[in-house]
């Protein structure tokens, strides 16, 4: 089947509950099996090792949930989007249920390159709520961002992430024992900011404040906290942390955020 | 007191971010069948990690059957990997079932799969994590009844004290009878001892606690006889699903998230193999030979792919190319699955029936490596073991493979077979070299660099209920000498020789040949830290030697001392139905290098299984 005759179905789905512990490859294989179970007329690549023509949005870290994962699957036959959506819903575990489905232009850029903007919702359960001041914590977070980069340990390697490119903004909504942080990020060929990298750096600086002099300026505190990326241990500020990716969008030339699918594409259920 | 059946997932969830592959522990897979409400609960457990255990067809079959029974719910269990096990102990979390995340100790029945000998310490690890006493005799009224079954129960004596009952043979009908009997005896309020005694009346059920072991000069590892007054049978014969074609061809229902080694749909196309290789235990224990029809297989594959969404299907059996309709099945499936990216595979190919077209058809057009079991380096020794392949078969198959474009070939051999001489060892090297010579003849010059031939050599482990059951394993020093001889005999540099670890083989022989006296050694090895012995990085023979010394057992003597014909053997009371006379006759024929034909192609060879068990071979068409 020639490329011209293929239909590009774009699907968004959730990654909730226990299934947030799936790794990216596990997720990819699971979605491919869902598409086969849904009996959609998927296209197959030609050549040595034929496989389904399907492409995914960027990998989500193990343990992070999402309301907005995406894939494009190429079909050899047009299936009304609502029909495809229903078939996928019937073939999916509830925690990976499809959210929307619709067709896009065959020549649109690949999802992974196009979806550069993501927002995360982070629910932070404080270990000692009474000892924490949200305004001060926000100040410390701003000081982390002001350092323009974070060096962190991944496995046994020290890596760095450039915050100038990848950090867009953060907003803290303090509640009783749980703070909710909305974190906006931008990915590029240079890399993407994993929320937990920023959270760990922030938590480390906050932990230092508890241990040391409370009056220290935020910048100094952060400087000292982040000097040695090899120094990792439980910091004990956040008892529990739940991260959810809440949207992934396209950023157009003017900086406007565009939905990967027109909202009208949501099939009526 | 028995722990409550309740969902304790919240206890392991905080551990998940701290362990390797958390998807092993999360359940919620597609296709699970267990029920939240049930009168009788069974947990079937594979004594290794999730990804090793999940593809197991035996558990898939029983899981489906039990969940189809009214009032019974069956869940699965796997052994947590060492990181998780340690964290669970630290946190005081007991072993949980997968579906309900309920304590394994809260079930009515814990069913252990016995896949091979090397799982021995993992049973004990599982009991310990679950909080169930390791010895049957120490379990109380509130503990689950621990049953076991699987391919490796034909000398179960080394494990006997750990299990309350062992199901011998095929479980399709047996597991239901056992569970119904245990439900009945529970509801009748019988004591544990009374329930186990009653359970021994279900045909095929071995209740080790009802047997006494006697040691004598002609029974160095003891033999088991029913204790007077117990009504336990003197010999427990295996159960057989006689009408195999009437069983559900599509056992598998669960589609895992975790990536597995064998991550695909499996359809068992045939059961049993009557080729009669004399070293092979499965060749005896799975008889008679029973085929499904091509129609049944094709329909099951189509239905199974739609149900699971897999992109590969494997037509499994001990020897799939022996199926009388194998070619037709493959043709029809490949036609049906064209342009779907879905491939059909078969587990292995035989040298004497290798067909390059078929090989390509089953590999989805890919030409990866080819693997053949040659087993021995000379025709004489191949006749001894009744491996009826010839050097001409090898020649023809290799030529065809190289001509069709294959470049990588792996040959399996065994070392330490009965009557083996240095000539047979040199023969292995000669065969491997010969395959390289053939490649140089057939493969175009510019592609010769990609030719690779490897010879993988395992140490022979004598198994119960085979014609070689009396034979001892080759001593380790001699194994090492023969390994050196082999290395020095290979001419071509491009032949790679691999050995199976002789330490592992030694322990495998101990666990295959020993009696009930080995159980304390297993327990002592576990106490000293042995678990996951099937994983090279966790296996440590020294630890086993220390454990054996502490129990006054000499591992080398158990592995290597032959039994004399006529001696009492520790496995006589659990029988696949083969007649002892047949095994003895086969052993004598082996020593004389006389071969015995396949009874699905020639007449009956008198193994005794069909008349003893009241079963018969069932073949769809005449076999080639």
């Amino acid at each position: 089947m020639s490329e011209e005759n293929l239909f590009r179905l774009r699907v968004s789905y959730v990654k909730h509950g226990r299934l947030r512990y799936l790794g990216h490859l596990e997720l990819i294989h699971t979605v491919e099996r869902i598409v086969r179970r849904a009996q959609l007329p998927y296209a197959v690549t030609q050549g040595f090792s034929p496989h389904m023509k399907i492409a995914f949005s960027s990998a989500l870290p193990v343990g992070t949930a999402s309301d907005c994962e995406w894939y494009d699957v190429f079909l050899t036959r047009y299936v009304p989007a609502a029909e495809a959506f229903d078939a996928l819903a019937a073939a999916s575990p509830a925690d990976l249920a499809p959210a929307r489905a619709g067709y896009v232009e065959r020549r649109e850029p690949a999802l992974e390159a196009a979806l550069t903007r993501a927002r995360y919702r982070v629910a932070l359960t404080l270990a000692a709520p009474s000892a924490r001041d949200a305004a001060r914590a926000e100040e410390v977070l701003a000081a982390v961002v002001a350092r323009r980069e974070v060096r962190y340990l991944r496995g046994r390697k020290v890596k760095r992430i450039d915050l100038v490119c990848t950090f867009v903004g953060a907003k803290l909504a303090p509640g009783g024992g749980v703070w909710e942080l909305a974190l906006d990020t931008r990915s590029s060929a240079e890399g993407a900011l994993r929320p937990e990298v920023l959270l760990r750096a922030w938590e480390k600086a906050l932990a230092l404040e508890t241990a040391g002099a409370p009056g220290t300026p935020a910048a100094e505190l952060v400087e000292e906290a982040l000097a040695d990326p090899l120094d990792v241990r439980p910091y004990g500020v956040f008892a529990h942390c739940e991260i959810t990716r809440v949207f992934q969008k396209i950023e157009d030339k003017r900086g406007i955020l565009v939905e990967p699918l027109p909202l009208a594409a949501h099939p009526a259920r | 007191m028995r722990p409550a059946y309740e969902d304790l997932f919240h206890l392991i969830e905080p551990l998940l971010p701290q362990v390797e592959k958390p998807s092993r522990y999360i359940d919620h897979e597609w296709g699970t069948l267990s029920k939240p409400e049930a009168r009788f609960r069974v947990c079937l457990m594979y004594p290794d990690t999730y990804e090793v255990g999940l593809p197991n067809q035996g558990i898939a079959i029983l899981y489906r059957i039990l969940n189809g029974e009214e009032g019974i719910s069956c869940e699965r269990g796997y052994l947590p990997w060492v990181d998780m096990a340690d964290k669970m102990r630290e946190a005081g979390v007991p072993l949980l079932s997968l579906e309900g995340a309920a304590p394994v100790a809260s079930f009515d029945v814990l069913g252990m799969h016995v896949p091979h000998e090397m799982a021995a310490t993992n049973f004990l690890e599982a009991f310990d994590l679950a909080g169930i006493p390791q010895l049957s005799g120490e379990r109380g009224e509130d503990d689950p009844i621990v049953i076991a079954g699987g391919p490796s129960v034909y000398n179960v004596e080394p494990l006997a004290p750990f299990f309350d009952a062992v199901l011998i043979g095929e479980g399709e009908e047996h597991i239901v009878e056992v569970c119904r009997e245990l439900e009945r005896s529970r509801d009748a309020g019988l004591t544990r001892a009374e329930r186990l005694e009653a359970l021994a009346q279900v045909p095929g059920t071995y209740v080790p606690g009802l047997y006494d072991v006697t040691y004598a000069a002609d029974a160095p590892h003891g033999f088991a006889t029913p204790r007077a007054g117990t009504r336990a049978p003197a010999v427990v014969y295996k159960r057989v699903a006689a009408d195999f074609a009437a069983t559900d061809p599509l056992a598998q229902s669960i589609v895992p998230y975790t990536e597995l080694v064998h991550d695909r749909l499996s359809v068992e196309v045939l059961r049993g193999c009557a080729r009669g290789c004399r070293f092979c235990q499965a060749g005896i224990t799975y008889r008679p030979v029973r085929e499904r029809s091509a129609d049944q297989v094709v329909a099951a594959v189509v239905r199974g792919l739609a149900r699971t969404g897999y992109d590969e299907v494997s037509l499994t059996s001990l020897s799939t190319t022996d199926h009388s309709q194998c070619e037709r099945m493959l043709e029809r499936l490949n036609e049906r699955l064209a342009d779907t990216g879905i491939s059909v595979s078969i587990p292995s190919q035989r040298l004497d029936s290798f067909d390059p077209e078929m090989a390509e058809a089953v590999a989805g057009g890919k030409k990866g490596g080819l693997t053949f079991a040659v087993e021995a380096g000379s025709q004489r020794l191949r006749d001894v073991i009744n491996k009826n392949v010839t050097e001409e078969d090898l020649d023809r198959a290799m030529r065809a493979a190289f001509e069709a474009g294959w470049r990588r070939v792996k040959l399996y051999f065994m070392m330490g077979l009965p009557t083996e001489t240095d000539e047979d060892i040199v023969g292995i090297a000669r065969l491997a070299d010969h395959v390289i010579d053939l490649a140089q003849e057939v493969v175009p010059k510019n592609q010769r660099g990609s030719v690779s031939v490897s010879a993988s050599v395992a140490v022979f482990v004598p198994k119960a209920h085979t014609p070689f059951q009396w034979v001892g394993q080759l001593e380790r020093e001699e194994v090492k000498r023969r390994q050196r001889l082999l290395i020095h005999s290979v001419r071509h540099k491009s032949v790679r020789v691999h050995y199976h670890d002789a330490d592992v083989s030694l322990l495998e022989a101990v666990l295959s040949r020993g009696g009930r006296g080995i159980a304390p050694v297993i327990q002592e090895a576990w106490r000293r830290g042995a678990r996951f012995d099937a994983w090279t990085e966790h296996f440590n023979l020294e630890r086993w030697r220390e454990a054996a010394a502490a129990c006054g057992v000499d591992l080398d003597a158990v592995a290597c001392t032959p039994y004399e014909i006529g001696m009492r053997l520790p496995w006589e009371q659990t029988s696949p139905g083969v007649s002892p006379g047949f095994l003895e006759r086969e052993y004598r024929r082996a020593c004389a290098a006389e071969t015995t034909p396949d009874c699905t192609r020639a007449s009956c060879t008198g193994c005794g299984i069909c008349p003893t068990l009241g079963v018969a071979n069932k073949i769809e068409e005449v076999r080639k």
Side-chain angles (χ1 to χ4, degrees), chain B residues 64-146:
Chain B
R64 194 168 189 80
I65 288 175
L66 284 176
N67 281 313
E69 285 290 314
E70 191 270 319
I72 298 182
S73 175
C74 174
E75 302 187 21
R76 294 160 299 147
Y78 301 95
L79 195 58
W81 184 238
V82 293
D83 58 349
M84 185 62 151
D86 292 348
K87 289 203 185 298
M88 287 169 73
R89 281 200 175 93
E90 217 174 277
V93 182
L95 186 61
L96 304 180
S97 67
L98 204 62
E99 285 88 340
V104 164
S106 73
F107 283 73
D108 292 295
V109 169
L110 170 58
M112 281 290 188
H113 186 74
V114 188
H116 50 69
E117 291 80 2
M118 299 304 284
T121 52
N122 279 9
F123 298 119
L124 302 183
E125 174 78 351
F127 296 145
D128 186 67
L129 280 169
I132 299 170
Q134 292 177 333
L135 296 174
S136 170
E138 290 175 3
R139 290 182 194 133
E141 296 297 331
D142 288 329
D143 290 309
I145 301 287
V146 179

Side-chain angles (χ1 to χ4, degrees), chain A residues 4-56:
Chain A
E4 281 71 40
N5 300 326
L6 297 181
F7 302 90
R8 182 168 173 181
L9 182 72
R10 179 162 288 180
V11 181
S12 102
Y13 64 102
V14 303
K15 187 188 182 196
H16 284 162
R18 293 182 196 181
L19 297 193
R20 69 181 186 279
Y21 291 106
L22 299 186
H24 190 54
L25 278 179
E26 294 172 340
L27 194 66
I28 284 179
H29 285 136
T30 300
V31 169
E32 287 176 351
R33 285 170 190 166
I34 290 171
V35 171
R36 282 191 222 97
R37 285 199 294 263
Q39 310 257 319
L40 295 184
Y42 60 88
V44 172
T45 61
Q46 302 298 307
F48 183 69
S49 169
H51 55 269
M52 183 183 296
K53 275 183 84 98
I54 187 167
F56 292 82

